Amino acid sequence: MIHIEFTGRQNKIVEIVQENQPITSQEIAAMLKLTRATLRPDLAILTMSGVLDARPKVGYFYTGKPHANLLAQSVKNTKVRDIMSLPTVVTEDMSVYNAIVTMFLEDTGSIYVVAKEGLAGVVSRKDFLKNAIGGVDINKVPVAMIMTRMPNIATVYPEESILEAAEKITSHEVDSLPVVEKVMIDHKAKLKVIGKISKSNITRLFVELCKE
């Protein structure tokens, strides 16, 4: 069994929970004089490793388990490329209407928009709903007009661990991330979408690991 080294702040969080359990994330943040958003990745790591247990509307508990945890190590050793799924990709000139149809046909929560093969933006179901309610002519407006543009998109590389991907999903509060690789297009460095990693991918991995 391999020992997992936590950061100083993560060890402090464990100490706080041990002494004050049950305790909410807001209370922990106040004691450390930090924001809840700053602590979110740390709490995700500690709960995934099995050191802390989180109960809705109650707070965090110390489980008493040692820091060395096989489940956490398996997650840390699993790479994004091992469990990523196929992305849904459209071009930036596609109409919002056709993009909505594509989203439902592919049964996905996010669509990645490309321009000259490079990642240009992302559109979610919330984006489509917001613009449809706002009176946008979905048959005439291109998806590029409503998408979130680069560089305001969180991405992940295939060689990164699932733990790193989970931290990004949690900290950016998104349902999925585009898996990208660096390529040269027209003598310019761009990101090419080669996959998708989502909460569903990660949940499925946890289910499989717990059955082993």
Side-chain angles (χ1 to χ4, degrees):
M1 188 175 289
I2 302 173
H3 183 75
I4 299 173
E5 293 292 337
F6 290 139
T7 65
R9 187 166 71 195
Q10 289 163 1
N11 284 319
K12 182 62 178 177
I13 292 172
V14 173
E15 292 176 8
I16 290 173
V17 174
Q18 282 181 281
E19 296 172 0
N20 302 277
Q21 59 184 328
I23 184 171
T24 66
S25 60
Q26 186 172 354
E27 291 171 329
I28 297 172
M31 294 178 73
L32 292 174
K33 297 181 180 180
L34 297 170
T35 65
R36 291 173 65 188
T38 300
L39 288 186
R40 195 173 290 122
D42 294 315
L43 290 170
I45 291 171
L46 292 170
T47 51
M48 284 192 292
S49 69
V51 175
L52 298 185
D53 181 32
R55 299 180 189 175
K57 299 182 180 180
V58 178
Y60 288 89
F61 292 81
Y62 177 64
T63 65
K65 294 180 180 179
H67 290 186
N69 184 281
L70 287 178
L71 176 60
Q73 194 60 41
S74 296
V75 172
K76 191 173 182 180
N77 290 337
T78 303
K79 303 300 181 183
V80 167
R81 62 172 174 265
D82 298 327
I83 69 167
M84 68 182 188
S85 53
L86 293 174
T88 301
V89 179
V90 301
T91 57
E92 58 183 353
D93 59 349
M94 175 179 282
S95 71
V96 171
Y97 173 81
N98 286 332
I100 292 174
V101 172
T102 300
M103 171 171 279
F104 280 96
L105 289 176
E106 297 293 332
D107 190 23
T108 184
S110 298
I111 288 179
Y112 304 120
V113 185
V114 299
K116 294 184 178 180
E117 297 185 37
L119 177 62
V122 62
V123 189
S124 67
R125 295 190 184 200
K126 290 182 181 178
D127 294 322
F128 286 129
L129 181 60
K130 180 173 65 177
N131 283 276
I133 293 176
V136 168
D137 188 339
I138 61 175
N139 288 292
K140 295 181 179 179
V141 172
V143 72
M145 294 294 292
I146 69 167
M147 69 184 185
T148 299
R149 295 179 174 275
M150 289 291 288
N152 300 315
I153 302 173
T155 62
V156 66
Y157 292 98
E159 63 272 14
E160 291 187 73
S161 72
I162 291 304
L163 189 55
E164 291 172 302
E167 288 177 354
K168 290 183 180 181
I169 287 176
T170 304
S171 62
H172 290 278
E173 298 183 346
V174 294
D175 292 327
S176 68
L177 298 170
V179 183
V180 298
E181 63 179 8
K182 293 179 179 179
V183 295
M184 294 300 294
I185 300 175
D186 294 335
H187 306 291
K188 294 182 179 180
K190 294 190 177 184
L191 298 177
K192 181 179 180 180
V193 182
I194 61 172
K196 178 184 76 171
I197 192 76
S198 67
K199 290 180 180 178
S200 296
N201 295 127
I202 296 173
T203 302
R204 194 175 298 114
L205 172 66
F206 270 91
V207 171
E208 292 174 356
L209 289 175
C210 289
K211 286 182 178 179
E212 292 181 358

